[in-house]
Amino acid sequence: LPQRSSGWLLLAMPERPPLRVAVVGAGWWSQGWHLPHLSRNPSCKIVAIVDNSKTIRSSLNPDMLQLEELGERYDARTFRTHDELFSSGLALDAVIC
């Protein structure tokens, strides 16, 4: 049943599993913004990271992690192409490019 608190009606929201998110591109923007913020969001689970670079590097961040390191850090599968990702059968709810 709904409860009242300070004049506001509170409704119980059903528990939902986190959204399964794939991040395509592992450059400085993803490593500096998308991946850290998604990993801290309890409503999201990073399940895949995709990047086709042999070596991920940036003049803006000399400490770039490589694809395999990112997969380990975020407990996510890694792929070199989006075709590999989509043909893997991995269940996804969202893709961020």
Side-chain angles (χ1 to χ4, degrees), residues 7-69:
W8 291 93
L9 184 63
L10 301 178
L11 301 175
M13 296 298 291
E15 284 285 323
R16 292 186 185 181
L19 290 175
R20 298 163 295 192
V21 179
V23 177
V24 177
W28 68 270
W29 188 256
S30 287
Q31 290 193 35
W33 183 261
H34 291 310
L35 293 167
H37 287 280
L38 288 168
S39 71
R40 290 191 293 265
N41 185 335
S43 297
C44 295
K45 168 74 174 121
I46 301 167
V47 296
I49 304 169
V50 182
D51 197 284
N52 66 354
S53 301
K54 289 183 181 180
T55 303
I56 300 171
R57 57 185 148 191
S58 169
S59 61
L60 299 174
N61 179 359
D63 300 320
M64 299 294 287
L65 297 178
Q66 298 308 303
L67 186 60
E68 295 75 21
E69 296 171 303

